[in-house]
Amino acid sequence: MKEEEVNRCQIQNWYPKFKSLTIKTKLHKLPESFVNYLLDDSVPFLLPSSVTNQNAMPNRIQNPDEGEDDESSSSDDETDPPPPPSPSFPELEIEIRDSIEALGGSIFPKLNWSAPKDAAWISPSQSLSCSCFSEIALLLRSSDSILHDLCNAYDSCSDDKASSRPESFFLALRKWYPSLKPEMEFRCFVKANELVGVCQREVTTFYPVLVSEKEALKGLIEEFFDVNVRSVFELEDYVFDVYVTKERRVKVVDFNTWCGSTLPLMFSWEELEGFRRVGGELELRIVESRRGVLPGLKTAVPYDYIDVSCGSGWDQVLKKAEEEFRDESDDEDV
Ligand SMILES: Nc1ncnc2c1ncn2[C@@H]1O[C@H](COP(=O)(O)OP(=O)(O)OP(=O)(O)O)[C@@H](O)[C@H]1O
């Protein structure tokens, strides 16, 4: 993969061209001091001190290995060095506060490529919804996906002299949508400027609506690609994610590289590479039945993608899951 492909998929590069077809977003170029703050892995980490003090969180995030303050630990206080001063980014904080306000009070944060999805557990809301600078800082500092953007974004590039990091980092604040339906998100694969495959983005669940609406959804996405994406996005091979609204309008959620750190979800890259759609039928791949996923397993994947043969170990897991499922469905009042 070329560095150019990775660069095109940065939100600050694609957003201006797709502004009217995606989630409303405000972009903030990050000062290097804030980038260094995100990269600093000292423990305990300090949240920026707030100049606006609006909904600010406590500055010091406790190291899980440290006990609660008690008598014995306070006796060491005299010998402990004083805690370092909290970092402060007053200009950025004020710009961010204004953007959050303009976006309705809650935002979804991401850097050039990634959102801190893996850090949602640390947020009081257990989601990526943020309403102040310190909530954003906490999510960004706690996320490996963000660390990947900061340090490893060009790892899959084959250029002779690939960059180690982008020229600038941007923080994208996207209007928060609390009730996006996972079944209406799709990943679309484009090879040589042809849409060669589409699949549901949330692959661990069977959604009956996708079975009944499959043809209509496929038509909508195909038309959206032909009219709005094919001749506008500058790469030939790439992946994009879309959301279909209840009014049946298609919105771009994100652009990703072909291969690299992008997951092919219900396809394999080999399979996608082999698809040639000139005149052929586009496949929208979905989980076709309740039995197409492993019930009760968090890391569930569609049946076809694991080795279920006798002796693989999965055969026993599946047998047990199917028995449980049968017991549950017997209880269902149908
Ligand atoms: N503005 C928003 N409000 C609420 N949820 C959102 C918003 N934007 C995205 N999401 C949810 O977060 C998920 C991840 O978003 P996004 O694709 O931007 O992150 P990402 O890090 O690039 O993910 P990936 O690496 O899987 O492509 C989306 O699938 C969607 O469910």
Side-chain angles (χ1 to χ4, degrees):
M1 187 198 315
K2 295 275 173 236
E3 192 174 317
E4 155 89 359
E5 295 175 69
V6 179
N7 284 338
R8 294 274 184 214
C9 295
Q10 298 177 102
I11 190 164
Q12 73 272 21
N13 288 348
W14 63 259
Y15 180 75
K17 293 195 178 76
F18 290 90
K19 208 171 169 172
S20 62
L21 303 167
T22 187
I23 299 167
K24 193 169 175 195
T25 302
K26 301 265 182 198
L27 295 162
H28 293 267
K29 188 167 171 192
L30 291 175
E32 282 303 306
S33 56
F34 188 74
V35 174
N36 290 333
Y37 163 74
L38 294 180
L39 284 165
D40 174 11
D41 59 0
S42 44
V43 173
F45 77 78
L46 297 167
L47 286 175
S49 62
S50 173
V51 285
T52 60
N53 217 9
Q54 221 183 32
N55 305 327
M57 301 175 82
N59 293 121
R60 187 174 184 276
I61 302 297
Q62 177 109 355
N63 176 353
D65 297 335
E66 287 177 322
E68 295 291 324
D69 284 346
D70 58 19
E71 295 273 315
S72 58
S73 65
S74 65
S75 64
D76 292 338
D77 282 356
E78 285 158 30
T79 50
D80 282 347
S86 299
S88 174
F89 310 95
E91 273 176 40
L92 180 66
E93 183 186 346
I94 289 167
E95 282 167 28
I96 286 178
R97 182 199 56 193
D98 293 347
S99 291
I100 294 177
E101 209 177 292
L103 291 166
S106 295
I107 59 89
F108 171 97
K110 71 185 285 181
L111 282 201
N112 300 27
W113 297 275
S114 306
K117 299 172 305 257
D118 55 323
W121 63 272
I122 208 171
S123 145
S125 68
Q126 300 286 292
S127 77
L128 295 193
S129 156
C130 296
S131 54
C132 68
F133 181 52
S134 52
E135 281 177 333
I136 299 171
L138 175 61
L139 283 173
L140 298 181
R141 281 242 3 195
S142 313
S143 163
D144 285 343
S145 307
I146 294 300
L147 199 60
H148 185 272
D149 273 21
L150 292 168
C151 305
N152 306 97
Y154 298 98
D155 282 4
S156 319
C157 292
S158 54
D159 308 61
D160 287 344
K161 223 171 147 278
S163 306
S164 62
R165 51 158 283 174
E167 210 175 284
S168 305
F169 283 104
F170 283 78
L171 175 63
L173 306 178
R174 318 202 76 191
K175 187 180 168 66
W176 173 253
Y177 285 91
S179 45
L180 291 183
K181 291 183 175 172
E183 65 270 34
M184 286 298 135
E185 288 191 59
F186 300 91
R187 179 153 285 185
C188 311
F189 300 86
V190 181
K191 181 81 190 158
N193 270 322
E194 291 292 333
L195 187 58
V196 293
V198 177
C199 69
Q200 70 186 65
R201 168 118 187 231
E202 213 299 87
V203 296
T204 65
T205 311
F206 165 64
Y207 298 106
V209 66
L210 293 185
V211 178
S212 52
E213 301 266 316
K214 191 172 169 180
E215 287 310 308
L217 288 163
K218 192 169 84 172
L220 279 174
I221 294 171
E222 211 169 1
E223 189 191 345
F224 180 80
F225 170 72
D226 282 339
V227 176
N228 298 299
V229 184
R230 190 204 294 270
S231 57
V232 183
F233 196 66
E234 298 99 334
L235 296 175
E236 295 203 330
D237 304 338
Y238 56 97
V239 175
F240 65 104
D241 295 328
V242 294
Y243 184 76
V244 181
T245 70
K246 57 180 182 306
E247 293 82 22
R248 293 293 179 253
R249 279 205 298 270
V250 183
K251 299 277 176 193
V252 170
V253 176
D254 195 17
F255 282 94
N256 299 293
T257 54
W258 180 272
C259 292
S261 54
T262 307
L263 294 175
L265 301 181
M266 301 186 75
F267 296 98
S268 69
W269 288 117
E270 294 73 35
E271 192 180 12
L272 288 161
E273 291 280 354
F275 285 162
R276 282 283 170 271
R277 270 200 61 239
V278 192
E281 176 75 359
L282 170 68
E283 178 177 359
L284 166 54
R285 193 169 285 184
I286 59 172
V287 177
E288 297 280 354
S289 77
R290 224 175 271 268
R291 282 160 196 269
V293 288
L294 295 172
L297 290 181
K298 263 221 162 93
T299 49
V301 289
Y303 264 27
D304 318 20
Y305 292 92
I306 52 172
D307 175 11
V308 293
S309 59
C310 198
S312 66
W314 279 107
D315 54 336
Q316 293 308 314
V317 175
L318 287 177
K319 203 164 149 231
K320 190 157 179 294
E322 279 189 355
E323 277 162 16
E324 281 171 14
F325 176 66
R326 217 170 296 131
D327 292 346
E328 270 173 32
S329 10
D330 289 347
D331 295 342
E332 265 172 33
D333 202 8
V334 277

